Amino acid sequence: MTVTIRTLNMHEIRLPLREPFTISSGTMSTRRILLLELTSMEGATVWAECVAGATPNYSPETIDTCALAIREWIAPRVLGRTFDHPNDVTPELERNFRGNKMAKAAIEMGVWALCATHDGVSLAELLGGQREKIETGISLGIQATPADLVERAKAAFAEGYRKVKIKIQPGSDIEFLKAAREAVGNDAALMADANNAYTTADFDHLAQFDELNLMMIEQPLAWDDVVQHAELQKRMRTPICLDESITGCDRAADMIALGSGRIVNIKPGRVGGFSESIRIHDLCAKHGVPVWCGGMLESGVGRSYNVALASLPNFTLPGDLSPSARYWDRDIVTPEWTMDREGRVTVPRSEPGIGVTVDVDRVADLTVRQETLSESP
Ligand code: OSB
Ligand code: MG
């Protein structure tokens, strides 16, 4: 299991989305992605992905702040360091070092993959995941009209997706959700994600969502709030799911104690990596709180980490783990991620490490910035 980190290589690539993706805080057309190549003294190489976006509209981090944090504060703590277990990375990165969870996560998760590769086991197995297939959901960006949304939602269920998540904002909410609900029937797995678009002034409006029979409403209020969400949950039957607010296991404990939500969206990048994700997973399991794996429009590299995590037992709801073709004309990994007719993605349990091969020539072609970090001699 022991691994010694030799180099960290940062590559920024630009990958055009097949269609623009709009959430309440902005639209993205091209994904700027920070990929990390980690090498070990033992001779292994793995690829990892930092999930931060180009602008700080989801969390305070961006791919530029992450590159800075990795260069200035993370690399000096891990280069040349021997880790007996990947669980030892987070304590090393948390000592007198606040925030910057997405930057930390990229390295922490990369160390898990290095260890899995060395041990010749799949990442899912090293994490303790049991599941062989993961039920998949699609996250639909805000559409121009309810009719456009209806068309997209119907097509998604026809393709096999097990959950359809609809992005909403004031002005594009009830009318859109109602149209989708009427089109797909009352039992179809529909949910909404507001990405912080509402405030305490909207409680009466949000309470009307109860008639839509949604599986959950994700993060209606502020990105760092757990107190007002508890007030809102008291006034809604629809379960609240927290995403942005759950920056670590302590916030999940707060959510449970306060009743700020009944479901957690775990994105390993948001919480600092796999060790913290597993702590949240275990805490939620103990309290009967279901979790599911969210997404950040990852390339096939980041997706492999999410799929591995989602194989843990308390990931009982479909994850935002759509196949490569939902996002990109061509992914950067082989094989690309696919979904079967039952809307499930297969966990590559028989492959060591992340289970997909990075197309390094393609990455080189797409790279706009590259930096190698190694221990000074
Ligand atoms: O809130 O879950 C979110 C994408 C970017 C930023 C925030 C979110 C999302 C998604 C994408 O919903 C889900 C996916 O990767 O398919
Ligand atoms: Mg969300």
PDB file of all heavy atoms in Angstrom, residues 268-293:
ATOM      1  N   PRO A 268     -17.014  14.188  -4.190  1.00  0.00           N
ATOM      2  CA  PRO A 268     -15.755  14.061  -3.456  1.00  0.00           C
ATOM      3  C   PRO A 268     -14.863  15.299  -3.624  1.00  0.00           C
ATOM      4  O   PRO A 268     -14.160  15.689  -2.696  1.00  0.00           O
ATOM      5  CB  PRO A 268     -15.115  12.796  -4.028  1.00  0.00           C
ATOM      6  CG  PRO A 268     -15.838  12.509  -5.303  1.00  0.00           C
ATOM      7  CD  PRO A 268     -17.205  13.095  -5.171  1.00  0.00           C
ATOM      8  N   GLY A 269     -14.938  15.934  -4.791  1.00  0.00           N
ATOM      9  CA  GLY A 269     -14.130  17.131  -5.015  1.00  0.00           C
ATOM     10  C   GLY A 269     -14.491  18.267  -4.062  1.00  0.00           C
ATOM     11  O   GLY A 269     -13.639  19.019  -3.613  1.00  0.00           O
ATOM     12  N   ARG A 270     -15.787  18.388  -3.759  1.00  0.00           N
ATOM     13  CA  ARG A 270     -16.261  19.486  -2.913  1.00  0.00           C
ATOM     14  C   ARG A 270     -15.839  19.344  -1.454  1.00  0.00           C
ATOM     15  O   ARG A 270     -15.697  20.326  -0.737  1.00  0.00           O
ATOM     16  CB  ARG A 270     -17.792  19.533  -3.004  1.00  0.00           C
ATOM     17  CG  ARG A 270     -18.465  20.730  -2.368  1.00  0.00           C
ATOM     18  CD  ARG A 270     -19.978  20.508  -2.272  1.00  0.00           C
ATOM     19  NE  ARG A 270     -20.299  19.433  -1.362  1.00  0.00           N
ATOM     20  CZ  ARG A 270     -21.150  18.428  -1.611  1.00  0.00           C
ATOM     21  NH1 ARG A 270     -21.809  18.359  -2.749  1.00  0.00           N
ATOM     22  NH2 ARG A 270     -21.349  17.479  -0.726  1.00  0.00           N
ATOM     23  N   VAL A 271     -15.645  18.099  -1.001  1.00  0.00           N
ATOM     24  CA  VAL A 271     -15.407  17.857   0.431  1.00  0.00           C
ATOM     25  C   VAL A 271     -13.953  17.527   0.754  1.00  0.00           C
ATOM     26  O   VAL A 271     -13.638  17.167   1.884  1.00  0.00           O
ATOM     27  CB  VAL A 271     -16.337  16.745   0.971  1.00  0.00           C
ATOM     28  CG1 VAL A 271     -17.799  17.118   0.727  1.00  0.00           C
ATOM     29  CG2 VAL A 271     -16.026  15.375   0.377  1.00  0.00           C
ATOM     30  N   GLY A 272     -13.065  17.636  -0.241  1.00  0.00           N
ATOM     31  CA  GLY A 272     -11.642  17.397   0.032  1.00  0.00           C
ATOM     32  C   GLY A 272     -11.171  15.992  -0.284  1.00  0.00           C
ATOM     33  O   GLY A 272     -10.038  15.647   0.028  1.00  0.00           O
ATOM     34  N   GLY A 273     -12.024  15.177  -0.894  1.00  0.00           N
ATOM     35  CA  GLY A 273     -11.546  13.873  -1.347  1.00  0.00           C
ATOM     36  C   GLY A 273     -12.334  12.700  -0.814  1.00  0.00           C
ATOM     37  O   GLY A 273     -13.437  12.843  -0.277  1.00  0.00           O
ATOM     38  N   PHE A 274     -11.746  11.521  -0.984  1.00  0.00           N
ATOM     39  CA  PHE A 274     -12.442  10.268  -0.651  1.00  0.00           C
ATOM     40  C   PHE A 274     -12.551  10.005   0.849  1.00  0.00           C
ATOM     41  O   PHE A 274     -13.554   9.487   1.319  1.00  0.00           O
ATOM     42  CB  PHE A 274     -11.726   9.087  -1.305  1.00  0.00           C
ATOM     43  CG  PHE A 274     -12.036   8.904  -2.775  1.00  0.00           C
ATOM     44  CD1 PHE A 274     -11.068   8.380  -3.628  1.00  0.00           C
ATOM     45  CD2 PHE A 274     -13.286   9.216  -3.302  1.00  0.00           C
ATOM     46  CE1 PHE A 274     -11.342   8.177  -4.984  1.00  0.00           C
ATOM     47  CE2 PHE A 274     -13.570   9.013  -4.642  1.00  0.00           C
ATOM     48  CZ  PHE A 274     -12.587   8.491  -5.487  1.00  0.00           C
ATOM     49  N   SER A 275     -11.496  10.333   1.612  1.00  0.00           N
ATOM     50  CA  SER A 275     -11.559  10.015   3.053  1.00  0.00           C
ATOM     51  C   SER A 275     -12.744  10.737   3.675  1.00  0.00           C
ATOM     52  O   SER A 275     -13.519  10.153   4.432  1.00  0.00           O
ATOM     53  CB  SER A 275     -10.280  10.440   3.771  1.00  0.00           C
ATOM     54  OG  SER A 275      -9.175   9.785   3.219  1.00  0.00           O
ATOM     55  N   GLU A 276     -12.884  12.031   3.329  1.00  0.00           N
ATOM     56  CA  GLU A 276     -13.982  12.816   3.887  1.00  0.00           C
ATOM     57  C   GLU A 276     -15.326  12.340   3.319  1.00  0.00           C
ATOM     58  O   GLU A 276     -16.315  12.293   4.042  1.00  0.00           O
ATOM     59  CB  GLU A 276     -13.744  14.303   3.579  1.00  0.00           C
ATOM     60  CG  GLU A 276     -14.604  15.255   4.379  1.00  0.00           C
ATOM     61  CD  GLU A 276     -14.242  15.351   5.868  1.00  0.00           C
ATOM     62  OE1 GLU A 276     -13.242  14.716   6.297  1.00  0.00           O
ATOM     63  OE2 GLU A 276     -14.954  16.053   6.597  1.00  0.00           O
ATOM     64  N   SER A 277     -15.341  11.949   2.047  1.00  0.00           N
ATOM     65  CA  SER A 277     -16.582  11.438   1.443  1.00  0.00           C
ATOM     66  C   SER A 277     -17.052  10.185   2.180  1.00  0.00           C
ATOM     67  O   SER A 277     -18.247  10.008   2.424  1.00  0.00           O
ATOM     68  CB  SER A 277     -16.350  11.079  -0.033  1.00  0.00           C
ATOM     69  OG  SER A 277     -16.007  12.216  -0.768  1.00  0.00           O
ATOM     70  N   ILE A 278     -16.119   9.323   2.518  1.00  0.00           N
ATOM     71  CA  ILE A 278     -16.483   8.077   3.211  1.00  0.00           C
ATOM     72  C   ILE A 278     -16.977   8.386   4.623  1.00  0.00           C
ATOM     73  O   ILE A 278     -17.936   7.772   5.102  1.00  0.00           O
ATOM     74  CB  ILE A 278     -15.288   7.087   3.210  1.00  0.00           C
ATOM     75  CG1 ILE A 278     -14.998   6.639   1.776  1.00  0.00           C
ATOM     76  CG2 ILE A 278     -15.568   5.885   4.120  1.00  0.00           C
ATOM     77  CD1 ILE A 278     -13.690   5.869   1.611  1.00  0.00           C
ATOM     78  N   ARG A 279     -16.369   9.369   5.271  1.00  0.00           N
ATOM     79  CA  ARG A 279     -16.855   9.756   6.613  1.00  0.00           C
ATOM     80  C   ARG A 279     -18.301  10.255   6.529  1.00  0.00           C
ATOM     81  O   ARG A 279     -19.137   9.936   7.369  1.00  0.00           O
ATOM     82  CB  ARG A 279     -15.968  10.867   7.200  1.00  0.00           C
ATOM     83  CG  ARG A 279     -14.576  10.390   7.607  1.00  0.00           C
ATOM     84  CD  ARG A 279     -13.767  11.518   8.223  1.00  0.00           C
ATOM     85  NE  ARG A 279     -14.351  11.995   9.474  1.00  0.00           N
ATOM     86  CZ  ARG A 279     -14.273  13.243   9.934  1.00  0.00           C
ATOM     87  NH1 ARG A 279     -13.627  14.165   9.229  1.00  0.00           N
ATOM     88  NH2 ARG A 279     -14.827  13.578  11.065  1.00  0.00           N
ATOM     89  N   ILE A 280     -18.587  11.066   5.499  1.00  0.00           N
ATOM     90  CA  ILE A 280     -19.957  11.586   5.329  1.00  0.00           C
ATOM     91  C   ILE A 280     -20.909  10.428   5.009  1.00  0.00           C
ATOM     92  O   ILE A 280     -21.997  10.323   5.581  1.00  0.00           O
ATOM     93  CB  ILE A 280     -19.996  12.648   4.209  1.00  0.00           C
ATOM     94  CG1 ILE A 280     -19.147  13.866   4.611  1.00  0.00           C
ATOM     95  CG2 ILE A 280     -21.433  13.066   3.900  1.00  0.00           C
ATOM     96  CD1 ILE A 280     -18.921  14.868   3.481  1.00  0.00           C
ATOM     97  N   HIS A 281     -20.473   9.570   4.101  1.00  0.00           N
ATOM     98  CA  HIS A 281     -21.267   8.385   3.731  1.00  0.00           C
ATOM     99  C   HIS A 281     -21.623   7.558   4.971  1.00  0.00           C
ATOM    100  O   HIS A 281     -22.774   7.167   5.174  1.00  0.00           O
ATOM    101  CB  HIS A 281     -20.460   7.552   2.736  1.00  0.00           C
ATOM    102  CG  HIS A 281     -20.963   6.169   2.502  1.00  0.00           C
ATOM    103  ND1 HIS A 281     -20.615   5.099   3.315  1.00  0.00           N
ATOM    104  CD2 HIS A 281     -21.803   5.660   1.564  1.00  0.00           C
ATOM    105  CE1 HIS A 281     -21.215   4.005   2.870  1.00  0.00           C
ATOM    106  NE2 HIS A 281     -21.941   4.323   1.811  1.00  0.00           N
ATOM    107  N   ASP A 282     -20.634   7.321   5.819  1.00  0.00           N
ATOM    108  CA  ASP A 282     -20.843   6.473   7.004  1.00  0.00           C
ATOM    109  C   ASP A 282     -21.751   7.169   8.021  1.00  0.00           C
ATOM    110  O   ASP A 282     -22.632   6.540   8.603  1.00  0.00           O
ATOM    111  CB  ASP A 282     -19.501   6.114   7.652  1.00  0.00           C
ATOM    112  CG  ASP A 282     -18.652   5.209   6.766  1.00  0.00           C
ATOM    113  OD1 ASP A 282     -19.152   4.732   5.726  1.00  0.00           O
ATOM    114  OD2 ASP A 282     -17.464   4.987   7.108  1.00  0.00           O
ATOM    115  N   LEU A 283     -21.535   8.463   8.216  1.00  0.00           N
ATOM    116  CA  LEU A 283     -22.376   9.216   9.155  1.00  0.00           C
ATOM    117  C   LEU A 283     -23.831   9.200   8.694  1.00  0.00           C
ATOM    118  O   LEU A 283     -24.753   8.966   9.478  1.00  0.00           O
ATOM    119  CB  LEU A 283     -21.877  10.668   9.266  1.00  0.00           C
ATOM    120  CG  LEU A 283     -22.713  11.555  10.184  1.00  0.00           C
ATOM    121  CD1 LEU A 283     -22.365  11.271  11.649  1.00  0.00           C
ATOM    122  CD2 LEU A 283     -22.510  13.038   9.874  1.00  0.00           C
ATOM    123  N   CYS A 284     -24.025   9.443   7.405  1.00  0.00           N
ATOM    124  CA  CYS A 284     -25.389   9.457   6.860  1.00  0.00           C
ATOM    125  C   CYS A 284     -26.025   8.080   6.995  1.00  0.00           C
ATOM    126  O   CYS A 284     -27.201   7.969   7.359  1.00  0.00           O
ATOM    127  CB  CYS A 284     -25.375   9.927   5.406  1.00  0.00           C
ATOM    128  SG  CYS A 284     -25.049  11.696   5.238  1.00  0.00           S
ATOM    129  N   ALA A 285     -25.256   7.026   6.714  1.00  0.00           N
ATOM    130  CA  ALA A 285     -25.788   5.660   6.830  1.00  0.00           C
ATOM    131  C   ALA A 285     -26.270   5.419   8.264  1.00  0.00           C
ATOM    132  O   ALA A 285     -27.358   4.875   8.484  1.00  0.00           O
ATOM    133  CB  ALA A 285     -24.724   4.640   6.435  1.00  0.00           C
ATOM    134  N   LYS A 286     -25.468   5.859   9.235  1.00  0.00           N
ATOM    135  CA  LYS A 286     -25.815   5.664  10.652  1.00  0.00           C
ATOM    136  C   LYS A 286     -27.124   6.355  11.007  1.00  0.00           C
ATOM    137  O   LYS A 286     -27.864   5.900  11.871  1.00  0.00           O
ATOM    138  CB  LYS A 286     -24.672   6.227  11.503  1.00  0.00           C
ATOM    139  CG  LYS A 286     -24.670   5.737  12.935  1.00  0.00           C
ATOM    140  CD  LYS A 286     -23.402   6.157  13.668  1.00  0.00           C
ATOM    141  CE  LYS A 286     -23.660   7.416  14.467  1.00  0.00           C
ATOM    142  NZ  LYS A 286     -22.445   7.966  15.077  1.00  0.00           N
ATOM    143  N   HIS A 287     -27.411   7.461  10.320  1.00  0.00           N
ATOM    144  CA  HIS A 287     -28.616   8.240  10.632  1.00  0.00           C
ATOM    145  C   HIS A 287     -29.756   7.991   9.641  1.00  0.00           C
ATOM    146  O   HIS A 287     -30.738   8.742   9.635  1.00  0.00           O
ATOM    147  CB  HIS A 287     -28.276   9.732  10.692  1.00  0.00           C
ATOM    148  CG  HIS A 287     -27.445  10.084  11.887  1.00  0.00           C
ATOM    149  ND1 HIS A 287     -27.997  10.386  13.113  1.00  0.00           N
ATOM    150  CD2 HIS A 287     -26.102  10.130  12.054  1.00  0.00           C
ATOM    151  CE1 HIS A 287     -27.015  10.628  13.982  1.00  0.00           C
ATOM    152  NE2 HIS A 287     -25.861  10.479  13.364  1.00  0.00           N
ATOM    153  N   GLY A 288     -29.600   7.000   8.782  1.00  0.00           N
ATOM    154  CA  GLY A 288     -30.670   6.696   7.835  1.00  0.00           C
ATOM    155  C   GLY A 288     -30.874   7.765   6.774  1.00  0.00           C
ATOM    156  O   GLY A 288     -31.969   7.923   6.232  1.00  0.00           O
ATOM    157  N   VAL A 289     -29.813   8.516   6.476  1.00  0.00           N
ATOM    158  CA  VAL A 289     -29.886   9.568   5.454  1.00  0.00           C
ATOM    159  C   VAL A 289     -29.282   9.027   4.160  1.00  0.00           C
ATOM    160  O   VAL A 289     -28.097   8.705   4.108  1.00  0.00           O
ATOM    161  CB  VAL A 289     -29.095  10.822   5.906  1.00  0.00           C
ATOM    162  CG1 VAL A 289     -28.975  11.844   4.791  1.00  0.00           C
ATOM    163  CG2 VAL A 289     -29.743  11.438   7.145  1.00  0.00           C
ATOM    164  N   PRO A 290     -30.087   8.883   3.090  1.00  0.00           N
ATOM    165  CA  PRO A 290     -29.520   8.384   1.831  1.00  0.00           C
ATOM    166  C   PRO A 290     -28.595   9.413   1.176  1.00  0.00           C
ATOM    167  O   PRO A 290     -28.792  10.623   1.348  1.00  0.00           O
ATOM    168  CB  PRO A 290     -30.746   8.133   0.951  1.00  0.00           C
ATOM    169  CG  PRO A 290     -31.887   8.826   1.595  1.00  0.00           C
ATOM    170  CD  PRO A 290     -31.523   9.162   3.012  1.00  0.00           C
ATOM    171  N   VAL A 291     -27.613   8.926   0.438  1.00  0.00           N
ATOM    172  CA  VAL A 291     -26.722   9.828  -0.296  1.00  0.00           C
ATOM    173  C   VAL A 291     -26.680   9.396  -1.759  1.00  0.00           C
ATOM    174  O   VAL A 291     -27.046   8.276  -2.108  1.00  0.00           O
ATOM    175  CB  VAL A 291     -25.280   9.841   0.284  1.00  0.00           C
ATOM    176  CG1 VAL A 291     -25.295  10.167   1.773  1.00  0.00           C
ATOM    177  CG2 VAL A 291     -24.528   8.544   0.023  1.00  0.00           C
ATOM    178  N   TRP A 292     -26.241  10.305  -2.592  1.00  0.00           N
ATOM    179  CA  TRP A 292     -25.992   9.995  -4.005  1.00  0.00           C
ATOM    180  C   TRP A 292     -24.798  10.810  -4.451  1.00  0.00           C
ATOM    181  O   TRP A 292     -24.405  11.783  -3.801  1.00  0.00           O
ATOM    182  CB  TRP A 292     -27.218  10.240  -4.869  1.00  0.00           C
ATOM    183  CG  TRP A 292     -27.856  11.600  -4.783  1.00  0.00           C
ATOM    184  CD1 TRP A 292     -28.685  12.059  -3.802  1.00  0.00           C
ATOM    185  CD2 TRP A 292     -27.727  12.675  -5.719  1.00  0.00           C
ATOM    186  NE1 TRP A 292     -29.077  13.343  -4.074  1.00  0.00           N
ATOM    187  CE2 TRP A 292     -28.511  13.752  -5.239  1.00  0.00           C
ATOM    188  CE3 TRP A 292     -27.039  12.829  -6.926  1.00  0.00           C
ATOM    189  CZ2 TRP A 292     -28.622  14.978  -5.919  1.00  0.00           C
ATOM    190  CZ3 TRP A 292     -27.154  14.046  -7.611  1.00  0.00           C
ATOM    191  CH2 TRP A 292     -27.933  15.107  -7.100  1.00  0.00           C
ATOM    192  N   CYS A 293     -24.197  10.384  -5.569  1.00  0.00           N
ATOM    193  CA  CYS A 293     -22.975  11.028  -6.036  1.00  0.00           C
ATOM    194  C   CYS A 293     -23.314  12.088  -7.075  1.00  0.00           C
ATOM    195  O   CYS A 293     -23.888  11.793  -8.114  1.00  0.00           O
ATOM    196  CB  CYS A 293     -22.036   9.984  -6.633  1.00  0.00           C
ATOM    197  SG  CYS A 293     -20.442  10.689  -7.090  1.00  0.00           S
TER     198      CYS A 293
END
